[in-house]
Amino acid sequence: METWRRVEVAACEELPALLGADDGPTPAELETIRAATFTVDAVNERERTTDHDVAAFVDVLSASAGAAGRWIHFGLTSSDVLDTALALQLRAVGETIVPGAQALVHALANRAREHADTLCVGRTHGVHAEPTTFGVKLAGFAFEAHRNALRLQRAFEQAAAGAISGAVGTYAATSPEFERRVLDRLGLAREDVSTQVVARDRHAELLGAIALAGAGLERLATEIRHLQRTEVREAREPFRAGQKGSSAMPHKRNPIKSEQISGLARVLRANAQAALENVALWHERDISHSSVERVILPDSTILIDHLQHSATALVQGLVVDEQRMRANLELTHGALFSQRVLLALVEGDADSGRPAMSRDDAYRIAQELAQRAWDEGVPLRELLAGDERAAGLDLDVIFDYAHYTRYAHEIVARLDEIA
């Protein structure tokens, strides 16, 4: 309601330019209008009679201004006030949410730099693939968070558009110049054709950006949940002194913050769907969008702010078990070096006289031995050393983790462009 008041006052302040200095409100009346007050209780009481929230608000505010109150809401329609005030609210909330999104980028970038050399296994389909570093892993999340921060910034900027165009958007009671001057006072852009309401694709774009940011947070939270599983145990959420993971099992330390993020991201996606449903209104306007927005806009903006802060604290406090990461690399008994074996067989070695192989033949050998290593628990290196088909391979070169991490610092250094 305070933003409604700001819109009403700004409109009154531009009435002399619209009507002429002799016909609009006097300087004294403008001072009275600026000083006019309202209470939520008074507006709610009045709405019991009017059954119209803006009309009730205008009645209360006008009564507070006495005779000068006749100028309040002059030439305006309810949507002029509601949508322009909503733009003010969204701009204000964006000034909180966008810096929060940027803070997450910095937190992820800092931890990525810290763990640029921390060797861990990369997984595809949940299965060990090849070694990587935890810093490279976190750098990917940091860049995604950066893209989401940019999307949020753009989305809030385009949503900061108002309209003072009157009934069905024709300026019949005012003028486009009057709208421009009022919006300039409020620091808002103009909806080019408002049709009485600001087009709801703007709000759908904002809720879409928020939902997408939530999806990025969920991807991060899902990774942490997997890494905290007992069988993996490579990273875990911080666990405070006195904290309890289960009412029945004292040993439990659960990824509850990550699970909350994953769950609440679903609400953001659902709200984005509702925002898309709000785009199609009847003719110039209806109010089917209004009741929906009173739920989804505050809920989604509050939620994304909360989730960003939770994720930032989670990243900053994340406990990384480097020894466990190293131990997990050995679970396949060297099978994850299979591509190195494959390429060495394909390449051949003229110096040792080892002939090059076709890719299919080399693949069959590498696959056979890697599967034996995994299934039988015999190190792949040992199997290669005893197999004449692999004679002449430089096993020290093949089984060198440094080969996988030699570009890790270069990859992580790309963060300098964004954080």
Side-chain angles (χ1 to χ4, degrees):
M1 290 184 187
E2 170 57 23
T3 54
W4 295 358
R5 188 197 67 81
R6 288 174 58 192
V7 173
E8 294 283 6
V9 170
C12 288
E13 289 172 330
E14 292 301 333
L15 284 177
L18 174 70
L19 303 174
D22 295 334
D23 296 323
T26 65
E29 287 177 315
L30 286 176
E31 285 303 313
T32 301
I33 290 169
R34 293 187 188 104
T37 60
F38 67 91
T39 67
V40 174
D41 287 342
V43 174
N44 287 342
E45 179 62 30
R46 180 60 179 158
E47 189 179 351
R48 292 188 180 93
T49 299
T50 64
D51 202 22
H52 192 294
D53 53 357
V54 176
F57 174 80
V58 170
D59 287 349
V60 171
L61 193 67
S62 298
S64 172
R70 67 194 178 100
W71 297 111
I72 293 175
H73 209 67
F74 186 92
L76 305 186
T77 190
S78 297
S79 292
D80 291 333
V81 178
L82 289 170
D83 284 2
T84 304
L86 178 58
L88 290 174
Q89 291 176 290
L90 291 176
R91 183 181 66 188
V93 79
E95 292 170 357
T96 294
I97 289 173
V98 172
Q102 294 165 341
L104 176 61
V105 177
H106 288 289
L108 284 163
N110 289 338
R111 296 306 303 268
R113 295 186 183 103
E114 176 188 348
H115 290 285
D117 293 316
T118 302
L119 196 65
C120 68
V121 69
R123 298 172 174 89
T124 58
H125 308 277
V127 178
H128 284 205
E130 289 192 347
T132 182
T133 78
F134 198 58
V136 169
K137 184 191 289 281
L138 291 177
F141 286 106
F143 273 104
E144 180 180 21
H146 175 64
R147 291 191 295 273
N148 279 319
L150 293 179
R151 275 189 283 261
L152 287 168
Q153 182 175 8
R154 291 193 299 266
F156 276 107
E157 287 173 352
Q158 62 83 37
I164 308 290
S165 57
V168 299
T170 62
Y171 305 100
T174 55
S175 73
E177 175 62 16
F178 175 72
E179 176 187 60
R180 183 191 66 77
R181 294 172 69 101
V182 174
L183 294 178
D184 282 350
R185 277 186 177 272
L186 298 170
L188 296 174
R190 177 197 67 198
E191 178 63 67
D192 292 323
V193 179
S194 72
T195 72
Q196 191 166 324
V197 294
V198 170
R200 258 46 202 177
D201 64 285
R202 294 183 180 273
H203 308 85
E205 180 175 344
L206 174 58
L207 270 291
I210 289 174
L212 190 52
L217 295 175
E218 183 179 10
R219 188 174 82 90
L220 172 63
T222 299
E223 180 71 17
I224 294 171
R225 291 168 65 191
H226 280 309
L227 294 180
Q228 188 162 337
R229 287 163 51 224
T230 306
E231 295 83 357
V232 179
R233 218 168 66 248
E234 294 182 5
R236 65 180 185 273
E237 294 185 5
F239 196 81
R240 301 189 316 273
Q243 184 176 341
K244 295 182 179 181
S246 167
S247 64
M249 297 168 284
H251 72 279
K252 294 297 293 297
R253 288 186 293 182
N254 303 324
I256 57 172
K257 294 300 181 184
S258 299
E259 290 173 343
Q260 289 168 357
I261 291 171
S262 294
L264 291 172
R266 301 168 191 168
V267 177
L268 296 179
R269 290 195 290 275
N271 286 352
Q273 177 63 33
L276 291 171
E277 300 290 343
N278 275 351
V279 172
L281 305 179
W282 284 19
H283 302 297
E284 277 60 50
R285 71 159 294 207
D286 62 45
I287 62 166
S288 61
H289 64 285
S290 177
S291 55
V292 182
E293 288 173 355
R294 293 177 191 225
V295 176
I296 64 175
L297 286 175
D299 277 8
S300 289
T301 49
I302 289 169
L303 267 181
I304 192 62
D305 181 57
H306 168 69
L307 295 181
Q308 286 177 166
H309 281 85
S310 292
T312 300
L314 185 55
V315 169
Q316 291 171 336
L318 190 67
V319 179
V320 179
D321 190 334
E322 297 182 26
Q323 291 183 335
R324 179 69 178 187
M325 288 179 174
R326 192 69 183 234
N328 282 347
L329 281 166
E330 306 301 327
L331 290 177
T332 63
H333 306 283
L336 46 66
F337 287 94
S338 65
Q339 182 179 203
R340 296 281 289 150
V341 176
L342 166 65
L343 296 180
L345 291 173
V346 169
E347 187 177 8
D349 186 356
D351 293 337
S352 66
R354 179 169 51 82
M357 289 187 184
S358 71
R359 182 178 179 84
D360 186 57
D361 288 342
Y363 193 100
R364 291 175 187 275
I365 294 171
Q367 184 182 50
E368 173 197 331
L369 296 178
Q371 288 180 346
R372 281 186 58 195
W374 201 340
D375 294 341
E376 299 172 13
V378 179
L380 177 59
R381 179 168 182 155
E382 183 178 321
L383 293 174
L384 286 166
D387 194 306
E388 62 180 15
R389 296 171 298 177
L393 290 179
D394 190 335
L395 299 182
D396 288 335
V397 171
I398 290 175
F399 289 88
D400 183 4
Y401 283 121
H403 176 81
Y404 298 97
T405 62
R406 66 191 191 279
Y407 298 120
H409 277 272
E410 180 179 337
I411 295 170
V412 172
R414 295 171 184 169
L415 290 168
D416 294 344
E417 301 170 10
I418 64 168

